[in-house]
Amino acid sequence: MTTFVLATANPHKANEMRAVLSGLGIELLERPDHVGEVEEDADTLEGNALLKARALVDATGQPAIADDTGLFVDALEGRPGVFSARFAGENATYADNVAKLLSSLEGITAARRTARFRTVVVVAYPEHEPLVVEGILEGTIGVEPRGDHGFGYDPVFIPEGGEQTLAEMTPDQKNAISHRARALQRLVEVLAQR
Ligand code: ITT
């Protein structure tokens, strides 16, 4: 069994990572409480995922896994992107960020509301180079929030090919298609080739 220390402090992300990886033979150890918040001041998802994973390797001496995710909206020239957590300000809630996104897209027609979630997963090791993989989910941004599952921008993100938002899907349905699950499946392939 492969074991990694989890670098994410976001419980929603942690639950999704556990659900996907437990079926793939990877166990995740809790992020230790004594590790403080890691400043995510890189300007790319890769950079921030590396910062988070390295901080946990430094604190524990064990291999660590980090996820950094952004929502890239075409009509907003790729924003909020790497700033997705802080789109509506430093201490913004998920609801604040969703409201800011919907108001930024007011008057934009359905055909021009295309967007994608991109997740970068990094595994960092004490003694060798990190592994970096990504997963992408294409979709569009709805005109109002729908659904109670998931977190973040899920209530307004409609994956390509369907009508439901990610928040209207069950956790299993989201985990079958999500950006995060795709990155983690890719990670398992890369680990198997080493
Ligand atoms: P950690 O840094 O501790 O991992 P975080 O919440 O800061 O947690 P990110 O920087 O990766 O995580 O995520 C940025 C924001 O993007 C996050 O706050 C959510 O609003 C949103 N987000 C990430 N993954 C998402 C998903 O699967 N569905 C909907 N929104 C998501």
Side-chain angles (χ1 to χ4, degrees), residues 59-78:
T60 65
Q62 290 182 271
I65 186 169
D67 158 323
D68 205 55
T69 298
L71 175 65
F72 298 80
V73 180
D74 292 324
L76 303 178
E77 281 130 25

Side-chain angles (χ1 to χ4, degrees), residues 1 14 16 22 35 42 50 52 72 75-76 78 88 92 94 100 104 108 115 133 145 156 160 173 180 184 188:
M1 171 80 78
E16 290 184 9
S22 64
V35 182
L50 270 165
K52 287 188 267 191
F72 298 80
L76 303 178
Y94 292 148
K100 164 114 193 225
S104 308
I108 308 267
V133 293
V156 289
E160 201 172 56
Q173 286 173 322
R180 179 160 297 108
L184 294 170
V188 171

Side-chain angles (χ1 to χ4, degrees), residues 7-10 13 16 40 52 67-69 84-85 94 97 117 151-154 174 179-180:
T8 181
N10 179 325
K13 281 168 56 171
E16 290 184 9
E40 296 180 40
K52 287 188 267 191
D67 158 323
D68 205 55
T69 298
S84 293
Y94 292 148
N97 286 334
F117 273 115
F151 67 100
Y153 298 95
D154 283 346
K174 179 180 176 187
H179 39 293
R180 179 160 297 108

